[in-house]
Short mmCIF file of all heavy atoms in Angstrom, two decimals:
data_model
loop_
_atom_site.label_atom_id
_atom_site.label_comp_id
_atom_site.label_asym_id
_atom_site.label_seq_id
_atom_site.Cartn_x
_atom_site.Cartn_y
_atom_site.Cartn_z
N SER A 1 3.11 -0.62 -26.70
CA SER A 1 4.40 -1.15 -26.21
C SER A 1 5.50 -0.09 -26.28
O SER A 1 6.38 -0.04 -25.41
CB SER A 1 4.81 -2.42 -26.96
OG SER A 1 5.10 -2.13 -28.30
N GLY A 2 5.42 0.79 -27.26
CA GLY A 2 6.38 1.91 -27.36
C GLY A 2 6.23 2.84 -26.19
O GLY A 2 7.25 3.31 -25.61
N VAL A 3 5.03 3.12 -25.75
CA VAL A 3 4.77 3.99 -24.60
C VAL A 3 5.30 3.31 -23.39
O VAL A 3 5.87 3.95 -22.52
CB VAL A 3 3.29 4.33 -24.55
CG1 VAL A 3 2.93 4.98 -23.22
CG2 VAL A 3 2.83 5.18 -25.68
N LEU A 4 5.06 2.02 -23.28
CA LEU A 4 5.55 1.29 -22.09
C LEU A 4 7.03 1.29 -22.03
O LEU A 4 7.65 1.50 -20.92
CB LEU A 4 5.03 -0.17 -22.15
CG LEU A 4 5.41 -1.09 -21.01
CD1 LEU A 4 4.83 -0.56 -19.71
CD2 LEU A 4 4.97 -2.53 -21.27
N VAL A 5 7.74 1.08 -23.12
CA VAL A 5 9.20 1.11 -23.15
C VAL A 5 9.69 2.49 -22.78
O VAL A 5 10.64 2.64 -21.95
CB VAL A 5 9.73 0.68 -24.52
CG1 VAL A 5 11.19 0.97 -24.68
CG2 VAL A 5 9.47 -0.82 -24.74
N ALA A 6 9.07 3.53 -23.28
CA ALA A 6 9.47 4.89 -22.95
C ALA A 6 9.29 5.17 -21.45
O ALA A 6 10.13 5.75 -20.81
CB ALA A 6 8.69 5.88 -23.74
N ALA A 7 8.18 4.68 -20.89
CA ALA A 7 7.93 4.88 -19.46
C ALA A 7 8.95 4.16 -18.61
O ALA A 7 9.47 4.70 -17.61
CB ALA A 7 6.50 4.39 -19.06
N VAL A 8 9.33 2.95 -19.03
CA VAL A 8 10.36 2.20 -18.30
C VAL A 8 11.70 2.90 -18.38
O VAL A 8 12.40 3.03 -17.35
CB VAL A 8 10.49 0.78 -18.86
CG1 VAL A 8 11.70 0.06 -18.36
CG2 VAL A 8 9.23 -0.04 -18.47
N LEU A 9 12.05 3.45 -19.52
CA LEU A 9 13.31 4.16 -19.65
C LEU A 9 13.34 5.42 -18.79
O LEU A 9 14.40 5.74 -18.20
CB LEU A 9 13.57 4.53 -21.14
CG LEU A 9 13.91 3.35 -22.05
CD1 LEU A 9 14.03 3.78 -23.48
CD2 LEU A 9 15.18 2.67 -21.60
N VAL A 10 12.26 6.14 -18.75
CA VAL A 10 12.19 7.34 -17.87
C VAL A 10 12.32 6.94 -16.41
O VAL A 10 13.05 7.53 -15.65
CB VAL A 10 10.88 8.13 -18.11
CG1 VAL A 10 10.65 9.16 -17.02
CG2 VAL A 10 10.86 8.76 -19.52
N THR A 11 11.67 5.84 -16.01
CA THR A 11 11.77 5.42 -14.58
C THR A 11 13.19 5.01 -14.29
O THR A 11 13.69 5.34 -13.19
CB THR A 11 10.79 4.23 -14.40
OG1 THR A 11 9.46 4.61 -14.74
CG2 THR A 11 10.82 3.75 -12.95
N VAL A 12 13.84 4.26 -15.18
CA VAL A 12 15.23 3.86 -14.93
C VAL A 12 16.10 5.10 -14.77
O VAL A 12 17.02 5.17 -13.90
CB VAL A 12 15.73 2.91 -16.03
CG1 VAL A 12 17.24 2.70 -15.97
CG2 VAL A 12 14.97 1.59 -15.93
N GLY A 13 15.88 6.11 -15.63
CA GLY A 13 16.68 7.32 -15.56
C GLY A 13 16.52 8.04 -14.24
O GLY A 13 17.49 8.52 -13.64
N VAL A 14 15.27 8.13 -13.75
CA VAL A 14 15.03 8.76 -12.46
C VAL A 14 15.70 7.97 -11.31
O VAL A 14 16.32 8.59 -10.42
CB VAL A 14 13.52 8.85 -12.22
CG1 VAL A 14 13.17 9.22 -10.80
CG2 VAL A 14 12.88 9.85 -13.17
N LEU A 15 15.63 6.66 -11.33
CA LEU A 15 16.25 5.86 -10.34
C LEU A 15 17.80 6.05 -10.36
O LEU A 15 18.43 6.08 -9.30
CB LEU A 15 15.88 4.38 -10.48
CG LEU A 15 14.44 4.05 -10.20
CD1 LEU A 15 14.16 2.57 -10.48
CD2 LEU A 15 14.14 4.35 -8.74
N ILE A 16 18.38 6.09 -11.51
CA ILE A 16 19.85 6.30 -11.63
C ILE A 16 20.20 7.66 -11.05
O ILE A 16 21.18 7.80 -10.35
CB ILE A 16 20.31 6.12 -13.08
CG1 ILE A 16 20.23 4.66 -13.50
CG2 ILE A 16 21.72 6.66 -13.27
CD1 ILE A 16 20.51 4.43 -14.97
N GLY A 17 19.40 8.69 -11.37
CA GLY A 17 19.63 10.00 -10.84
C GLY A 17 19.53 10.04 -9.33
O GLY A 17 20.31 10.67 -8.64
N ALA A 18 18.56 9.34 -8.78
CA ALA A 18 18.38 9.30 -7.35
C ALA A 18 19.51 8.62 -6.67
O ALA A 18 20.07 9.02 -5.64
CB ALA A 18 17.05 8.64 -6.99
N GLN A 19 20.03 7.53 -7.32
CA GLN A 19 21.15 6.78 -6.77
C GLN A 19 22.42 7.66 -6.77
O GLN A 19 23.21 7.68 -5.85
CB GLN A 19 21.41 5.50 -7.51
CG GLN A 19 22.57 4.69 -7.02
CD GLN A 19 22.33 4.17 -5.65
OE1 GLN A 19 21.19 3.82 -5.27
NE2 GLN A 19 23.35 4.05 -4.82
N ALA A 20 22.61 8.41 -7.86
CA ALA A 20 23.74 9.31 -7.92
C ALA A 20 23.74 10.35 -6.84
O ALA A 20 24.74 10.69 -6.22
CB ALA A 20 23.84 9.95 -9.27
N LYS A 21 22.52 10.87 -6.55
CA LYS A 21 22.37 11.81 -5.50
C LYS A 21 22.67 11.20 -4.12
O LYS A 21 23.25 11.85 -3.29
CB LYS A 21 20.92 12.42 -5.54
CG LYS A 21 20.76 13.56 -4.59
CD LYS A 21 19.35 14.13 -4.73
CE LYS A 21 19.16 15.25 -3.75
NZ LYS A 21 17.82 15.76 -3.76
N ASP A 22 22.26 9.95 -3.91
CA ASP A 22 22.51 9.28 -2.63
C ASP A 22 23.97 8.99 -2.41
O ASP A 22 24.39 8.91 -1.29
CB ASP A 22 21.75 7.97 -2.57
CG ASP A 22 20.27 8.13 -2.27
OD1 ASP A 22 19.90 9.26 -1.87
OD2 ASP A 22 19.49 7.21 -2.46
N ASP A 23 24.78 8.87 -3.48
CA ASP A 23 26.20 8.58 -3.37
C ASP A 23 27.00 9.80 -2.95
O ASP A 23 28.12 9.66 -2.57
CB ASP A 23 26.74 8.03 -4.65
CG ASP A 23 26.23 6.60 -4.92
OD1 ASP A 23 25.78 5.97 -3.97
OD2 ASP A 23 26.34 6.14 -6.04
N MET A 24 26.42 10.99 -2.96
CA MET A 24 27.12 12.19 -2.58
C MET A 24 27.13 12.37 -1.09
O MET A 24 26.09 12.12 -0.44
CB MET A 24 26.47 13.42 -3.24
CG MET A 24 26.58 13.43 -4.75
SD MET A 24 25.62 14.74 -5.53
CE MET A 24 26.08 16.16 -4.58
N VAL A 25 28.24 12.77 -0.52
CA VAL A 25 28.30 13.01 0.92
C VAL A 25 27.79 14.45 1.15
O VAL A 25 28.30 15.40 0.53
CB VAL A 25 29.76 12.86 1.41
CG1 VAL A 25 29.87 13.20 2.85
CG2 VAL A 25 30.24 11.46 1.18
N PRO A 26 26.84 14.64 2.05
CA PRO A 26 26.28 15.93 2.29
C PRO A 26 27.21 16.83 3.12
O PRO A 26 28.20 16.35 3.62
CB PRO A 26 24.97 15.61 3.10
CG PRO A 26 25.32 14.36 3.80
CD PRO A 26 26.19 13.57 2.85
N PRO A 27 26.88 18.11 3.25
CA PRO A 27 27.73 18.97 4.02
C PRO A 27 27.74 18.60 5.46
O PRO A 27 26.87 17.87 5.97
CB PRO A 27 27.05 20.35 3.82
CG PRO A 27 25.97 20.17 2.87
CD PRO A 27 25.76 18.73 2.59
#
């Protein structure tokens, strides 16, 4: 369950990073 929780936290972090990148206006 500890490994599962860690995997979920990593996935959430990646999704938050992707969302932050999507919020930026490109050149």
